[in-house]
């Protein structure tokens, strides 16, 4: 049985946290090193002075003992409180000193031999011990203060850097979401003569990349729109001329190709409008199930319709642009029939519409990167524009389009619409329109786009 690893909180992976830990550890290590060095040096100096003083008094006591005179104060033969280790050293014929407690206070003892006994003297060491204790407390206090100040200053400096990094990341996400006007505009990049740090270099590179990308995309959009506009006029004339051809197979082929080119031109124009974000939404409240049924009838395909909860008689209403929603559903149904296998099922479950086929599913590139215009696989017909338009129109009406493979096989497109909630019971319902299946505004309910899976 595998042991579950403890997962650290996400905030511990931030640069601010790592910098704070690093600064704290380094400050503690430095403070500890300096504290030990200062404590050792001061203690050694204090003990050395006390030892010299105790040995000098022991020499005086030794001279007095040898001369038979009275011993100096705090001196004696085998005095009470003399440490046993120092007594043994003196009895063995050697002199020495030791710091020990005497009568409840710290004392420096010095002892030497005296006719097989220990002649010892003591001096008060309590003042020196208190001074060392105060020094230790001062070292600890000053170290904590230095760590706190250094940590605050370091956190402030790191926070300024991380704030700029977060701003750069936010702008990068906005650019990836399609906002090509987003720029970091880091203050350090405003003046080229000003020294730039690494964050400013990254921010400047991102701004330059965004500007270059924006220019290229705008040029591509202008090219697409210009080509579509320029093709519209000759195609209109070509379509009229094709209608005048004598009836027959050649005329049918020409007319079919002209219709295909006109459809492609209209798709390009629609995509150029979506790219330019100039579309205006005409929102209204509609019952979703009847609207979806009309789209299926208008598509002229054998698509099964399932409405979840229909037996309860509670029709779900959504606030959307009916024309654009019909366009999205029509494209999804067309792609399911063109690149999948029957049965194709359209399911309305609350504000969610699902179009599912039983074919090989969506290609991997589409699942990972989304619809891509002019890309098809497996020899499929179309230009890869149908799902591109469906995704763009879904975003315009505030719906979420998710393309995935069903668990038991087949492609599944799930469209989630903003559900309308009526708070006032007397409020009139939104007009759904008595549509007979025809599409408003001349929009075609079908288009290519889903790449055929291999």
């Amino acid at each position: 049985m595998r042991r579950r690893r403890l997962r650290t909180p996400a905030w511990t992976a931030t640069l601010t946290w790592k910098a704070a830990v690093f600064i704290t550890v380094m400050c503690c290590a430095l403070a500890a090193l300096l504290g030990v060095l200062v404590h050792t040096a001061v203690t050694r100096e204090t003990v050395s002075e006390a030892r010299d003083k105790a040995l000098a008094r022991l020499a005086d006591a030794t001279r007095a003992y040898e001369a038979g005179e009275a011993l100096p104060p705090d001196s004696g033969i085998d005095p009470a409180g003399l440490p046993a280790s120092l007594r043994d050293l003196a009895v063995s014929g050697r002199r020495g000193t030791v710091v020990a407690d005497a009568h409840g206070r710290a004392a420096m003892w010095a002892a030497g031999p005296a006719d097989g006994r220990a002649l010892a003297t003591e001096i008060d060491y309590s003042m020196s011990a208190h001074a060392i204790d105060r020094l230790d407390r001062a070292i600890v206090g000053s170290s904590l203060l230095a760590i706190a100040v250094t940590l605050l200053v370091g956190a402030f400096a790191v926070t300024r850097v991380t704030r700029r990094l977060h701003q750069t990341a936010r702008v990068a996400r906005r650019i990836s979401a399609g906002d090509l006007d987003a720029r970091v505009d880091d203050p350090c990049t405003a003046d080229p003569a000003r020294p730039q740090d690494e964050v400013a270099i990254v921010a400047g590179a991102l701004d330059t990349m965004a500007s270059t990308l924006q220019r290229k995309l705008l040029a591509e959009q202008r090219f697409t729109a210009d080509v579509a506009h320029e093709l519209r006029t000759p195609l209109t004339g070509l379509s009229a001329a094709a209608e005048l051809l004598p009836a027959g197979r050649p005329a049918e082929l020409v007319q079919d190709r002209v219709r295909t080119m006109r459809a492609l031109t209209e798709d390009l124009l629609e995509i150029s409008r979506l790219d330019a974000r100039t579309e205006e939404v005409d929102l209204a409240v509609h019952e979703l199930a009847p609207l979806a049924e009309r789209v299926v009838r208008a598509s002229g395909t054998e698509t099964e319709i399932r409405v979840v909860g229909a037996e309860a008689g509670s029709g779900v209403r959504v606030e959307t642009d009916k024309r654009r929603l019909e366009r999205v559903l029509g494209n999804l149904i067309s792609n399911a029939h063109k690149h999948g296998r029957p049965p194709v099922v359209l399911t309305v479950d609350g504000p969610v519409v699902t179009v599912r086929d039983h074919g090989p599913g969506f290609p991997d590139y589409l699942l990972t990167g989304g619809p891509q215009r002019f890309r098809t696989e497996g020899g499929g017909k179309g230009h890869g524009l149908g799902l591109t338009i469906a995704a763009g129109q879904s975003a315009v009406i505030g719906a979420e389009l998710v393309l995935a493979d069903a668990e038991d096989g087949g492609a599944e497109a799930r469209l989630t619409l903003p559900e309308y909630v009526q708070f006032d019971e007397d409020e009139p319902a939104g007009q759904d329109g008595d549509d007979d299946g025809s599409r408003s505004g001349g929009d075609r309910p079908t288009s290519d786009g889903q790449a055929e899976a291999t």
Side-chain angles (χ1 to χ4, degrees), residues 271-294:
I271 287 178
S272 66
R273 290 194 297 268
L274 291 173
D275 288 340
R277 300 185 178 184
T278 58
E279 299 286 69
E280 295 182 1
V281 184
D282 183 16
L283 295 178
V285 180
H286 305 278
E287 283 199 20
L288 183 56
L291 191 150
E293 292 173 356
R294 285 195 297 273

Side-chain angles (χ1 to χ4, degrees), residues 5 79 84 128 168-169 202 304 340 342 359 367 375 395 411 449:
R5 280 209 236 157
S128 299
T168 303
V202 173
E304 181 183 350
L367 295 176
R375 178 171 181 179

Side-chain angles (χ1 to χ4, degrees), residues 344-420:
V344 175
V345 181
L346 183 145
T347 304
V348 179
D349 185 2
V352 181
V353 181
T354 303
V355 178
R356 189 262 176 94
D357 63 57
H358 291 75
F362 290 115
D364 293 337
Y365 81 87
L366 195 147
L367 295 176
T368 56
Q372 299 179 25
R373 62 193 71 174
F374 297 109
R375 178 171 181 179
T376 58
E377 288 188 357
K381 298 179 180 179
H383 305 91
L385 302 181
L387 290 183
T388 303
I389 293 175
Q393 294 289 11
S394 299
V396 171
I397 61 178
E400 180 186 11
L401 178 61
V402 178
L403 305 176
D405 287 340
E407 294 181 358
D408 53 347
E412 183 178 84
R414 186 171 60 256
L415 182 68
T416 304
L417 295 156
E419 185 174 1
Y420 174 74

Side-chain angles (χ1 to χ4, degrees), residues 55-66:
L55 290 175
R57 182 174 293 184
L58 178 62
D60 295 339
T62 302
R63 283 193 295 270
Y65 175 77
E66 292 175 349

